[in-house]
Amino acid sequence: MDDAAARNGPGPARPHSGPRLARLATAVLVLACGLLMYRALQTPRADEDRTVPLLLFRRAGPVYALPIDRQGPEDIAARKAAVRRLERNPYDTEALTTLAALAGQGGEGASQSKLVHQLSRITRRSTAGEVWLFQEGLQSGRYDQAIRSLDLLARRKAVGGSLLAFELSTVIDQPGARRALSTVLLQDPAWGPDLLRRLSQAAPPDSVDSLLIEMTRSGKLLDDALVEPALRRHVSGRDYPAARRLWTVIYSSGANRNRVHDGGFDGLAGPPPFNWQVATPGGGLSLWKPDPGDVPGFLTARHDLFGSSAPLISQLLFLPAGSYELAVKARSLSGQPHRRFRLDLSCFPGPRLVSSPLAMAPGAWRSTASRFVVPDRDCELQSIRVRPVTGERPQPVEIQLDEIVIQPTAGRPGVRAVRGVP
């Protein structure tokens, strides 16, 4: 200990500077290495970005994207940049995408297929790769591959639904394509109803019917939204026999003689227009189904003071030519006037067969019955509707309906209203 130390005493302990300097030197070395690596990686990436700004795969059909054809020196530079990146990282999806696109431009089909399949094994989020696999699967008959890629693209909304539906419409008449698509649709993907709606517009109607019937064979009850577009396309095209065949295969049991679907308002499966559609307050239409927890068995319809006389509920029917009897039960709220609603049944399109005011009373069911004849010609399809009777009235009106039944009968047509609970 020197003289100064002896005079000042022991003093506080000083930290050792050796470990701190070592840590500082290590940090500087890591930073320097990082900068060198960044510069080494940045150069080829810049080359690639400059020469290939957006290279995707070109195939026949509308689902492709390649803004500019790349040939000559720029192709060579892009290929070299991609190869260098793969040498550093075999899982570089951007480099694989570039090489696959260039292989397609150069007519190297086998090489492109190998690269795209490798890209798909690494990541299923390459839009270009999945589009390529989707189209290759459709064109080569590998429908399971095509539908797997379609599922990925549709879930991510990476490609427009209209383009996917257009591509499918060219092969949906093939049994293998229908089986593959049916298997995925039966898993209730979120994109299913939208694709079926677009497919019903783009594909031949009989092919869409075959797809829906293929799905029905699984024993699973189809969601109404999957079937409705096909039915409406048949109706709009006036192909009523096709609509009847499809509806009968999917929904009709043949055990109930009632020709009105879900005439008891029990919430049976099936979409409009061959199940009940109900007018909403905003002027739209909706399928009637009981709310969760409700006891099914009747429908309540309300009409305000200012609304039009448009139908509150309606349904299309398949009635062969002949004589029929129609019966309906109704009741109203306390204090409401009598016969504020009527039931119309008409050929679709064509003359009206029945127009009958509905008997109803507060708290008690009243029955109205009518007889009518469906003519032999120009009445393949019919429409049944319940409308409000408009006019001056002091308050909104509400009706509850139950047991709308149409059954074949013999005898001359006529109309009768029966008061009292049957």
Side-chain angles (χ1 to χ4, degrees):
M1 182 179 299
D2 57 12
D3 294 341
R7 286 193 303 268
N8 297 331
R14 297 181 180 177
H16 296 286
S17 59
R20 183 174 63 182
L21 292 175
R23 288 194 297 270
L24 180 60
T26 302
V28 171
L29 181 61
V30 169
L31 179 60
C33 291
L35 289 173
L36 289 173
M37 291 178 64
Y38 174 80
R39 292 187 62 186
L41 292 174
Q42 195 68 11
T43 301
R45 178 180 289 272
D47 289 342
E48 181 185 348
D49 291 344
R50 185 168 57 250
T51 55
V52 190
L54 180 61
L55 277 173
L56 298 178
F57 309 123
R58 284 194 301 174
R59 294 185 61 83
V63 188
Y64 64 83
L66 184 63
I68 304 174
D69 289 340
R70 298 291 178 178
Q71 298 177 352
E74 293 181 344
D75 278 345
I76 296 173
R79 189 185 299 269
K80 288 181 177 179
V83 169
R84 286 197 299 269
R85 291 180 61 179
L86 284 176
E87 288 174 349
R88 293 191 299 272
N89 178 14
Y91 301 101
D92 190 322
T93 57
E94 291 184 14
L96 281 171
T97 301
T98 299
L99 289 177
L102 292 171
Q105 285 183 257
E108 306 166 34
S111 177
Q112 185 183 45
S113 177
K114 183 177 179 181
L115 287 164
V116 175
H117 281 275
Q118 174 66 5
L119 178 65
S120 181
R121 281 190 290 269
I122 292 173
T123 176
R124 305 307 300 271
R125 297 191 62 83
S126 169
T127 297
E130 296 307 327
V131 166
W132 194 95
L133 291 170
F134 170 62
Q135 292 187 315
E136 183 199 47
L138 295 182
Q139 295 171 9
S140 65
R142 300 185 182 95
Y143 299 122
D144 289 336
Q145 168 189 306
I147 301 305
R148 280 196 301 270
S149 294
L150 177 145
D151 184 37
L152 289 166
L153 293 167
R155 287 179 186 276
R156 292 167 38 218
K157 299 181 180 180
V159 175
S162 295
L163 295 178
L164 295 174
F166 177 83
E167 293 285 310
L168 279 175
S169 68
T170 62
V171 299
I172 199 63
D173 60 332
Q174 300 298 315
R178 290 199 299 269
R179 283 194 298 270
L181 181 58
S182 169
T183 299
V184 175
L185 288 174
L186 286 170
Q187 299 171 16
D188 298 325
W191 50 263
D194 180 69
L195 181 72
L196 258 294
R197 178 179 62 82
R198 298 176 187 275
L199 194 60
S200 295
Q201 297 169 348
D206 56 341
S207 297
V208 178
D209 290 356
S210 297
L211 171 64
L212 294 170
I213 293 171
E214 175 83 27
M215 296 171 66
T216 302
R217 293 196 183 105
S218 70
K220 181 178 179 179
L221 186 63
L222 301 188
D223 187 274
D224 293 340
L226 298 178
V227 186
E228 182 175 354
L231 291 170
R232 290 196 180 275
R233 184 179 182 185
H234 288 313
V235 173
S236 64
R238 297 198 174 188
D239 191 352
Y240 304 142
R244 182 173 187 171
R245 285 193 300 271
L246 181 60
W247 178 266
T248 302
V249 168
I250 297 178
Y251 298 107
S252 177
S253 63
N256 190 352
R257 293 185 67 235
N258 186 10
R259 300 303 181 96
V260 179
H261 187 74
D262 198 12
F265 299 101
D266 296 313
L268 299 184
F274 300 103
N275 199 350
W276 295 113
Q277 60 185 17
V278 181
T280 61
L285 294 174
S286 65
L287 171 65
W288 178 85
K289 291 291 176 68
D291 293 330
D294 286 356
V295 177
F298 60 86
L299 177 141
T300 300
R302 179 180 173 86
H303 190 259
D304 62 26
L305 292 171
F306 311 105
S308 70
S309 59
L312 296 178
I313 65 169
S314 62
Q315 179 184 137
L316 295 183
L317 306 171
F318 299 110
L319 300 177
S323 299
Y324 295 88
E325 182 174 70
L326 182 153
V328 55
K329 290 182 180 179
R331 66 184 178 186
S332 63
L333 298 180
S334 177
Q336 290 194 166
H338 187 48
R339 296 176 182 267
R340 283 299 190 183
F341 295 86
R342 78 173 193 265
L343 186 147
D344 294 339
L345 192 145
S346 307
C347 296
F348 181 86
R352 186 179 300 167
L353 305 176
V354 172
S355 181
S356 178
L358 295 177
M360 59 186 192
W365 292 104
R366 296 290 184 264
S367 179
T368 301
S370 307
R371 287 189 176 183
F372 63 94
V373 172
V374 175
D376 295 332
R377 299 179 59 185
D378 301 325
C379 199
E380 295 180 81
L381 199 63
Q382 303 80 33
S383 171
I384 183 171
R385 302 174 177 182
V386 174
R387 298 174 179 269
V389 177
T390 58
E392 294 183 2
R393 56 179 180 235
Q395 61 184 6
V397 290
E398 188 171 273
I399 188 174
Q400 291 181 335
L401 298 167
D402 193 13
E403 295 185 23
I404 301 179
V405 178
I406 296 178
Q407 291 182 338
T409 188
R412 297 173 60 185
V415 178
R416 69 180 187 277
V418 183
R419 296 170 103 39
V421 179

